[in-house]
Amino acid sequence: MRARPLRGHGLLLAVPFGRATILLIVACLLWFATVAPAHAALDPALLTQLGTDDPDVRVATVRNIGASGDARAAVVLQAIASDSLAIANGRAVIVSGSNVIDAATGEALGAAPAGLETIVVNNRLRGELDSALAGLKLSSPDRETRLGAAKELQASDNEDLLPLMQAALAKESDPGVKAILQLAAASLGLKSSDPEQRLQAAKALSASDDPQLRQILLTLLTKQKDGSYPEADERVRIAAQASLDEINRRLHTVELGVSLFTGLSLGSVLLLAALGLAITYGLMGIINMAHGEFLMIGAYATYVVQGLFRAYLPGAFAWYVVAALPVAFLVTAAIGMALERGVLRWLYGRPLETLLTTWGISLLLIQASRTVFGAQNVEVENPSWLSGGIQLAGGLVLPYNRIAILGFALAVLAAVWLVINRTRLGLFVRGVTQNRAMASCTGVPTNRVDMLTFGLGSGVAGLGGVALSQIGNVGPDLGQSYIVDSFMVVVLGGVGQLAGTVIAALGLGSISKFLEPFSGAVLAKIFVLVMIILFIQKRPQGLFALKGRSAEA
């Protein structure tokens, strides 16, 4: 092995240089890195300022601790929040039972000294502690912790945390956390004493979708009583106005989209409520005032199935809604067929008697539900997969249950269309609707077709009740809220026309929701009713008129 000369301090040393020497040097460096402190201790003089009576000094001290970046900052702040920090003999200490440690260095001090003065935390100081701790959490390896800290810092006015937030931004790799942290830093920058910092923050807020930040920008641009602005720098005001315009434009687009979705959601509910009525009234000509009560029965069937799953199948509780669908359909279809066979088949061709009879039956069904389930609303819980929603800009949410109901309404519509147009029963229904006497002469069992058709319409109403149980209260008067709207949908769409029912339901729902922000819910419904009356005056057959022999019958 060759020796290499090393010069140092005027001496010529011969040291064998090889693999063993390199390993020894690396080991020494690792040992040094292990035993060397990563951060210097907190300044003891800074911590003792927490014992002062001046609340402003204490707040400033907490901010300085949070912005220090020291490894012990989080320990000290947690100790303050848990009332474990005290001042003893001019030194800040953390008291944990019988153990006392130095707050600045972490050195154990043994037994608690005499004259301990615990730091009292008021609401103002606790708010500063929360902000400071949130700033320290930005370096956490857990994404959810960093995300929660970024959201907390959006409401902070601690300007000392801005460097810490900017440092966290430089290291942040998660796009969601980074976006919120950027907005939090910009919001805090608006409160800076540096005009350039405020200018950059005002420009950065143009990417925000938070209504609270929009309100902050609006406050900067609102002229005060003395004619001045909260923001003195005109450049900052111009940037704030540009950001405000951009935020308003983007949120307006989102709000229009949400209004459209809400209208379609209401339309899907009306469609489910009116689809069964379109069958019983549109195809059979029966004015069924008890149709709303079939919705109510379907909702109560869902409530019963929920109770059975909770008692006997708690592990599969999330799927009770799926099990409630066939139950609600079969129960309401059976009640509907019994009603048709027992009462309505004697009243065909007598619309006034049919209307009065079904109205009386609706009162009986309402009273029966009160007797069985009580007069108060019952609780139907959304399963986990129907809870929550899709978060949009501006804090707007598209609920999962509304999205599911929209899809469910389309699925029920498709099923009804297939039954009417692609099955033997549907062929008989269309034949009886167009010419009952001719259908009977060809061997169609018209009485049986009437019973099955009324059962189908009632069962579809029961499916609508399952959907309604997921978005509102379930009670004896549930059906009364939808019977008038259902008749409006069927009449406007055209008697016996499923396509017209779909267009009328979705159209009325969308129009109502677009009018509500301007006129309120009551006036919007009145306007829609007046519009329907005027339309029927000009076109009594509705949007889609029957053609051929069915129109002549």
Side-chain angles (χ1 to χ4, degrees), residues 12-136:
L12 181 62
L13 302 177
V15 179
F17 191 80
R19 181 176 300 176
T21 306
I22 295 175
L23 291 176
L24 180 60
I25 293 173
V26 171
C28 292
L29 291 175
L30 290 175
W31 175 84
F32 180 79
T34 303
V35 300
H39 296 278
L42 283 170
D43 184 5
L46 175 65
L47 298 183
T48 55
Q49 293 179 6
L50 292 168
T52 182
D53 294 331
D54 190 340
D56 294 332
V57 173
R58 296 167 66 193
V59 166
T61 302
V62 168
R63 292 184 174 184
N64 290 333
I65 295 172
S68 66
D70 191 275
R72 291 201 53 78
V75 177
V76 173
L77 293 175
Q78 289 285 5
I80 300 172
S82 60
D83 298 326
S84 300
L85 192 75
I87 304 296
N89 301 324
R91 173 189 289 185
V93 296
I94 298 175
V95 181
S96 178
S98 59
N99 299 321
V100 178
I101 62 174
D102 189 289
T105 63
E107 177 188 355
L109 301 178
L116 281 176
E117 297 180 7
T118 304
I119 305 298
V120 179
V121 181
N122 55 23
N123 290 335
R124 180 187 176 192
L125 192 61
R126 194 169 297 280
E128 293 296 334
L129 286 169
D130 292 340
S131 296
L133 286 170
L136 293 174

Side-chain angles (χ1 to χ4, degrees), residues 315-373:
F317 180 78
W319 301 104
Y320 83 88
V321 174
V322 178
L325 292 175
V327 173
F329 181 85
L330 293 175
V331 169
T332 51
I335 295 175
M337 289 188 290
L339 175 62
E340 194 277 336
R341 288 289 86 190
V343 179
L344 296 180
R345 71 183 178 126
W346 311 106
L347 301 175
Y348 287 141
R350 298 157 63 183
L352 180 59
E353 287 86 343
T354 304
L355 186 151
L356 293 175
T357 301
T358 53
W359 180 60
I361 291 172
S362 73
L363 298 179
L364 290 175
L365 292 175
I366 291 173
Q367 189 57 44
S369 67
R370 287 187 178 134
T371 303
V372 175
F373 298 101

Side-chain angles (χ1 to χ4, degrees), residues 16 205 246 338 349 464 484 524 546:
L205 285 178
E246 176 63 21
V484 175
L546 291 174

Side-chain angles (χ1 to χ4, degrees), residues 104-339:
T105 63
E107 177 188 355
L109 301 178
L116 281 176
E117 297 180 7
T118 304
I119 305 298
V120 179
V121 181
N122 55 23
N123 290 335
R124 180 187 176 192
L125 192 61
R126 194 169 297 280
E128 293 296 334
L129 286 169
D130 292 340
S131 296
L133 286 170
L136 293 174
K137 290 176 184 177
L138 292 176
S139 58
S140 171
D142 180 53
R143 178 193 180 275
E144 294 302 320
T145 301
R146 300 197 310 275
L147 182 62
K151 290 179 178 179
E152 287 181 24
L153 289 171
Q154 283 186 320
S156 175
D157 61 351
N158 186 354
E159 189 178 338
D160 295 334
L161 290 176
L162 193 55
L164 192 64
M165 295 167 66
Q166 292 171 340
L169 268 174
K171 297 184 296 182
E172 184 59 59
S173 58
D174 186 274
V177 178
K178 192 167 188 175
I180 294 178
L181 194 55
Q182 284 175 335
L183 296 178
S187 177
L188 189 57
L190 283 179
K191 305 166 186 176
S192 173
S193 57
D194 183 7
E196 293 299 327
Q197 189 74 48
R198 298 200 304 274
L199 178 61
Q200 295 301 319
K203 292 179 179 179
L205 285 178
S206 62
S208 171
D209 294 319
D210 192 336
Q212 294 181 349
L213 296 182
R214 180 172 60 174
Q215 186 61 39
I216 292 174
L217 289 174
L218 189 60
T219 302
L220 296 179
L221 300 170
T222 302
K223 187 177 290 187
Q224 298 175 335
K225 293 181 179 180
D226 60 358
S228 63
Y229 291 92
E231 174 53 57
D233 194 307
E234 185 178 2
R235 298 177 305 153
V236 178
R237 293 202 303 271
I238 294 173
Q241 184 63 61
S243 295
L244 184 62
D245 293 340
E246 176 63 21
I247 293 172
N248 287 334
R249 182 196 62 77
R250 188 165 55 253
L251 289 182
H252 181 66
T253 303
V254 174
E255 288 167 359
L256 283 178
V258 171
S259 296
L260 177 61
F261 169 79
T262 306
L264 293 176
S265 175
L266 175 60
S268 67
V269 172
L270 292 178
L271 178 60
L272 287 171
L275 200 54
L277 192 63
I279 297 173
T280 57
Y281 175 60
L283 297 181
M284 300 181 64
I286 297 175
I287 303 176
N288 182 16
M289 294 301 295
H291 181 77
E293 278 53 61
F294 289 112
L295 293 169
M296 177 261 293
I297 293 172
Y300 272 120
T302 308
Y303 169 71
V304 172
V305 173
Q306 172 193 252
L308 293 175
F309 266 71
R310 183 174 283 140
Y312 300 105
L313 294 171
F317 180 78
W319 301 104
Y320 83 88
V321 174
V322 178
L325 292 175
V327 173
F329 181 85
L330 293 175
V331 169
T332 51
I335 295 175
M337 289 188 290
L339 175 62

Side-chain angles (χ1 to χ4, degrees), residues 491-492 528-543:
V491 172
L492 178 62
V528 169
L529 180 60
V530 171
M531 182 183 67
I532 292 175
I533 293 173
L534 294 176
F535 180 82
I536 295 300
Q537 292 291 322
K538 295 294 183 181
R539 190 177 174 85
Q541 67 271 32
L543 291 173

